[in-house]
Amino acid sequence: DGGITQSPKYLFRKEGQNVTLSCEQNLNHDAMYWYRQDPGQGLRLIYYSQIVNDFQKGDIAEGYSVSREKKESFPLTVTSAQKNPTAFYLCASSIRGVGEKLFFGSGTQLSVL
Amino acid sequence: SQQGEEDPQALSIQEGENATMNCSYKTSINNLQWYRQNSGRGLVHLILIRSNEREKHSGRLRVTLDTSKKSSSLLITASRAADTASYFCATVPIQGAQKLVFGQGTRLTINP
C-alpha cells in the first residue's frame, strides 16, 4: 500500500528532552511537510521540504528542527527550546510542491510528562 | 496568520439532511481546497477548486467558489453518520509565500 507512515502514534516528552517524530512516504512525492494542530484549531505549518537536502521554515519553526537526507523520509525533532510542545503533529506530502493537494499521515500525539 | 475562516464552527444535523459549510479568505488565491478530518486522524483531501473555476462536484460533495466575495462553500447532500468529522478549507495565496494555509475548521455532527 502506498502512503505516509508516521510513528509513534503517541509520544511523551520529559522536560529538557529532545524527541524525534518519524515520517516516511512511499508515494515518490518530492515535497513533504510538518504541521502542528492544537485542540479545536486548524493546522499551522512548521517546516516543509520540496527537494532532498533542502527545507524551509514555516510559520512556527522555532523550537523544531528537520532533515531531508532521503526523498522518503522527513523526521521532525522537537527540541527542548519548544516550551509548549503538546499538540497533534501531522506529516504530509505532495507530488511536487506547494499548492497541490496534500496526502497526510495519521498523526503523532505528543504530550509532556 | 489564518487565511481561511470557516463558518459555522460547529454544525449538527439529522441524517439525510444537507450540510453546508462556508469558508472566507482575505487575499487573492491560486486555489482553494477542502479536507476532512476524523477525530484523532490525519486529513483527507476532498476537492481542489482553482481560482478560475466557480463550481465543482465529487459524488455527494459540491464546492462553489466566489472570488469576488472571497468565499467558498462546501455542500454535502444526503448526509450520513459517516460524514461526521471536521472539515477544513485551505488556500494558496497568490502573493507572498506559496504555502497552503488552513482555516480552523467546521465540526460536523450527523445525528442518526
Side-chain angles (χ1 to χ4, degrees):
Chain A
D1 282 339
I4 300 179
T5 301
Q6 288 188 243
S7 63
K9 188 166 179 62
Y10 300 97
L11 186 59
F12 297 91
R13 192 191 90 166
K14 295 179 182 177
E15 194 166 338
Q17 184 183 40
N18 293 352
V19 293
T20 297
L21 285 62
S22 171
C23 178
E24 303 277 332
Q25 55 101 356
N26 61 4
L27 299 168
N28 199 32
H29 285 177
D30 287 334
M32 297 186 74
Y33 313 81
W34 274 105
Y35 286 90
R36 169 179 171 143
Q37 185 178 32
D38 292 283
Q41 302 295 311
L43 280 63
R44 291 184 290 169
L45 183 63
I46 305 173
Y47 269 99
Y48 64 102
S49 167
Q50 294 185 266
I51 195 170
V52 174
N53 293 321
D54 188 45
F55 47 82
Q56 285 77 41
K57 293 181 179 179
D59 297 317
I60 55 166
E62 186 174 350
Y64 300 97
S65 66
V66 293
S67 63
R68 187 87 187 274
E69 297 176 0
K70 298 186 300 181
K71 188 175 184 178
E72 302 79 19
S73 179
F74 191 41
L76 173 75
T77 297
V78 184
T79 75
S80 56
Q82 173 50 247
K83 297 306 179 188
N84 184 23
T86 297
F88 190 52
Y89 290 85
L90 287 158
C91 179
S93 70
S94 63
I95 294 174
R96 273 182 289 279
V98 180
E100 299 176 334
K101 78 179 211 181
L102 299 181
F103 295 77
F104 282 85
S106 56
T108 293
Q109 175 63 50
L110 175 63
S111 303
V112 177
L113 289 175
Chain B
S1 61
Q2 297 292 335
Q3 160 81 320
E5 293 185 2
E6 286 91 342
D7 170 56
Q9 290 189 345
L11 178 62
S12 181
I13 61 173
Q14 294 300 119
E15 195 167 18
E17 293 180 338
N18 295 342
T20 299
M21 289 158 274
N22 302 296
C23 171
S24 59
Y25 56 91
K26 297 172 184 172
T27 62
S28 297
I29 59 172
N30 279 318
N31 69 59
L32 184 146
Q33 302 176 32
W34 285 92
Y35 289 81
R36 183 187 74 224
Q37 183 182 34
N38 290 87
S39 181
R41 305 299 300 272
L43 279 70
V44 174
H45 183 269
L46 296 175
I47 286 184
L48 182 153
I49 186 165
R50 302 192 186 282
S51 58
N52 60 352
E53 296 175 310
R54 291 296 166 260
E55 189 171 309
K56 221 167 179 182
H57 296 255
S58 177
R60 293 183 297 112
L61 306 181
R62 173 180 170 243
V63 168
T64 61
L65 179 63
D66 187 335
T67 53
S68 66
K69 295 181 179 178
K70 293 187 171 57
S71 68
S72 173
S73 67
L74 170 66
L75 168 67
I76 303 174
T77 60
S79 63
R80 305 168 182 168
D83 295 327
T84 294
S86 291
Y87 291 81
F88 295 88
C89 71
T91 55
V92 180
I94 290 177
Q95 301 285 351
Q98 286 285 292
K99 55 187 179 182
L100 205 57
V101 181
F102 285 82
Q104 294 189 327
T106 292
R107 292 185 305 279
L108 175 64
T109 302
I110 308 299
N111 301 303

